[in-house]
């Protein structure tokens, strides 16, 4: 359950959580005409707070809206400032941040007409998406019977609300079958991503991940690629077959919500030693140091804010 905060930023002003409502004939509710982001804020070791790669996330939000033909009535700078305002109003030193841009009510039909564009930013406390133990012990996943969208069926580079029905089906199927998460294959049969995460595998200390053309480019994915390279690991972007995952030494998910979560089992096959491997642990350790503000080399990824 979402832990309720006091305020949500909605169309330019802070409103009480329970008053951030929309009409039942909101266009996005019926047709999925909206875009969103998932962003994390962390309390740092020194007591300060930061939002991880906030500007880049908001750039992607605006890009997603452009792909869908949605004209956002706020600038990048205004969205960044609104995030600060919301975190401060809710007195959150660490939080999950959910910006949402969507087509409001008015015309009802597939064409949105001149319906208003609504924008909100919600923030609330949130722990590990796949469970605290998952970061150490790893999770069980299955390859889904659902295929990830083809690039000319849905706009796969947009983090669009409607796209995620595909993810909901895959995740629901996986959980119903006793797994924690799903891996979706693309229309060529190669590994694409999780229902809300990017995926990496490790073989002989080399990292492999699906090429950017096959997936939604995650900010955490990009961060891990840069971090791994800085730590001296080779990273290869390439087409990955599911059989390659079965014989990998390590496999892990990355994402804003999932952070860096190891996978211990795929389709009832144990991955490596059945727990977080050495490369995964090394990346986890350094990644969380960055998130906690303990590595000045990556300070440019941190958007500092204060709730005092």
């Amino acid at each position: 359950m979402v832990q309720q905060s006091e305020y949500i930023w909605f169309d330019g002003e802070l409103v009480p959580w329970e008053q951030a409502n929309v009409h039942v004939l909101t266009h996005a509710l019926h047709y999925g005409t909206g875009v969103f982001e998932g962003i994390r804020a962390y309390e740092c070791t020194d007591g300060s707070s930061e939002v991880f790669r906030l500007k880049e996330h908001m750039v992607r939000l605006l890009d997603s809206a452009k792909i869908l033909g949605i004209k956002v009535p706020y600038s990048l700078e205004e969205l960044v400032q609104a995030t600060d305002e919301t975190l401060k109003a809710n007195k959150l030193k660490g939080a999950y941040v959910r910006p949402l841009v969507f087509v409001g009510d008015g015309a009802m039909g597939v064409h949105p007409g001149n319906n208003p564009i609504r924008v909100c930013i919600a923030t609330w406390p949130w722990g590990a998406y796949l469970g605290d133990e998952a970061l150490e012990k790893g999770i069980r996943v299955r390859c889904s019977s659902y295929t990830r969208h083809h690039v000319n069926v849905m706009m796969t580079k947009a983090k669009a609300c409607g796209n995620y029905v595909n993810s909901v089906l895959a995740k629901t199927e996986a959980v119903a079958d006793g797994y924690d998460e799903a891996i979706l294959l693309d229309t060529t049969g190669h590994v694409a991503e999780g229902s809300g995460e990017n995926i990496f595998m490790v073989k002989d200390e080399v990292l492999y991940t699906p090429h950017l053309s096959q997936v939604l480019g995650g900010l955490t994915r990009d961060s891990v690629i840069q971090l791994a390279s800085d730590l001296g690991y080779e990273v290869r972007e390439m087409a990955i077959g599911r059989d390659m995952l079965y014989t990998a030494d390590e496999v892990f998910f990355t994402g804003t919500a999932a952070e860096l979560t190891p996978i211990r089992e795929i389709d009832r096959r144990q991955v490596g030693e059945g727990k977080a491997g050495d490369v995964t642990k090394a990346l986890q350790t350094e990644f969380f140091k960055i998130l906690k503000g303990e590595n000045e080399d990556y300070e440019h990824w941190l958007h500092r804010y204060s709730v005092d």
Side-chain angles (χ1 to χ4, degrees):
M1 296 292 291
V2 172
Q3 185 176 336
Q4 181 174 321
S5 297
E6 191 171 355
Y7 297 103
I8 291 177
W9 188 91
F10 203 175
D11 290 340
E13 61 184 73
L14 292 168
V15 300
W17 179 285
E18 64 277 1
Q19 294 178 24
N21 302 317
V22 297
H23 195 276
V24 294
L25 294 184
T26 292
H27 195 273
L29 183 61
H30 294 258
Y31 301 107
T33 46
V35 296
F36 69 97
E37 279 294 319
I39 311 172
R40 285 262 200 175
Y42 292 88
E43 183 174 4
C44 298
T45 303
D46 63 4
S48 64
S49 295
E50 64 91 3
V51 186
F52 187 63
R53 303 193 71 170
L54 174 59
K55 183 176 180 180
E56 293 96 323
H57 275 288
M58 289 304 187
V59 167
R60 190 172 66 173
L61 180 76
L62 294 172
D63 285 346
S64 294
K66 186 175 183 180
I67 291 170
L68 264 63
I70 296 173
K71 188 174 181 179
V72 183
Y74 299 97
S75 68
L76 172 63
E77 292 73 21
E78 288 172 322
L79 292 172
V80 169
Q81 182 179 350
T83 303
D84 284 346
E85 290 177 10
T86 311
L87 287 165
K88 291 176 182 178
N90 288 322
K91 299 179 176 61
L92 292 171
K93 288 193 171 184
Y96 186 76
V97 181
R98 171 53 60 90
L100 174 67
V101 178
F102 62 99
V103 180
D105 60 294
M108 180 49 64
V110 173
H111 193 282
N114 294 317
N115 290 14
I117 304 303
R118 314 293 303 275
V119 182
C120 66
I121 300 174
T123 62
W124 65 87
W126 202 16
Y129 175 61
L130 295 168
D132 292 323
E133 289 189 356
L135 294 174
E136 170 60 28
K137 294 183 178 180
I139 60 173
R140 300 177 65 247
V141 305
R142 62 158 292 179
C143 290
S144 179
S145 68
Y146 297 98
T147 302
R148 190 184 188 275
H149 295 301
H150 185 275
V151 294
N152 204 37
V153 172
M154 298 291 282
M155 297 290 96
T156 57
K157 296 306 178 188
K159 199 171 175 68
C161 298
N163 287 4
Y164 278 78
V165 173
N166 184 230
S167 294
V168 170
L169 289 169
K171 175 84 172 188
T172 303
E173 175 188 60
V175 172
D177 288 345
Y179 294 89
D180 301 300
E181 186 54 279
I183 295 173
L184 289 92
L185 308 181
D186 65 19
T187 52
T188 70
H190 290 94
V191 174
E193 54 196 359
S195 69
E197 309 90 2
N198 291 120
I199 190 169
F200 288 79
M201 59 165 275
V202 181
K203 187 72 172 179
D204 298 327
E205 296 197 343
V206 176
L207 278 75
Y208 299 85
T209 192
H211 194 275
L212 193 58
S213 63
Q214 299 173 270
V215 300
L216 178 69
L219 271 299
T220 308
R221 172 189 182 275
D222 176 72
S223 302
V224 168
I225 289 174
Q226 293 188 49
L227 175 61
S229 297
D230 291 345
L231 292 173
Y233 293 105
E234 181 181 355
V235 183
R236 300 179 187 174
E237 296 181 74
M238 58 177 282
I240 297 173
R242 61 193 292 184
D243 47 2
M244 294 175 66
L245 295 182
Y246 296 159
T247 58
D249 299 326
E250 305 174 40
V251 183
F252 60 87
F253 278 137
T254 62
T256 295
E259 298 171 317
L260 205 160
T261 300
I263 296 171
R264 73 173 187 268
E265 182 183 318
I266 301 173
D267 294 342
R268 295 180 295 279
R269 294 163 174 85
Q270 179 175 300
V271 176
E273 296 181 357
K275 58 182 180 180
D278 291 341
V279 175
T280 302
K281 286 181 178 179
L283 290 169
Q284 276 183 330
T285 298
E286 295 307 315
F287 185 61
F288 280 102
K289 284 182 181 178
I290 294 170
L291 298 179
K292 295 295 184 180
E294 297 175 2
N295 190 330
E296 293 182 358
D297 291 340
Y298 299 91
E299 183 66 29
H300 60 285
W301 282 347
L302 313 184
H303 174 84
R304 299 283 186 171
Y305 71 97
S306 174
V307 297
D308 297 327

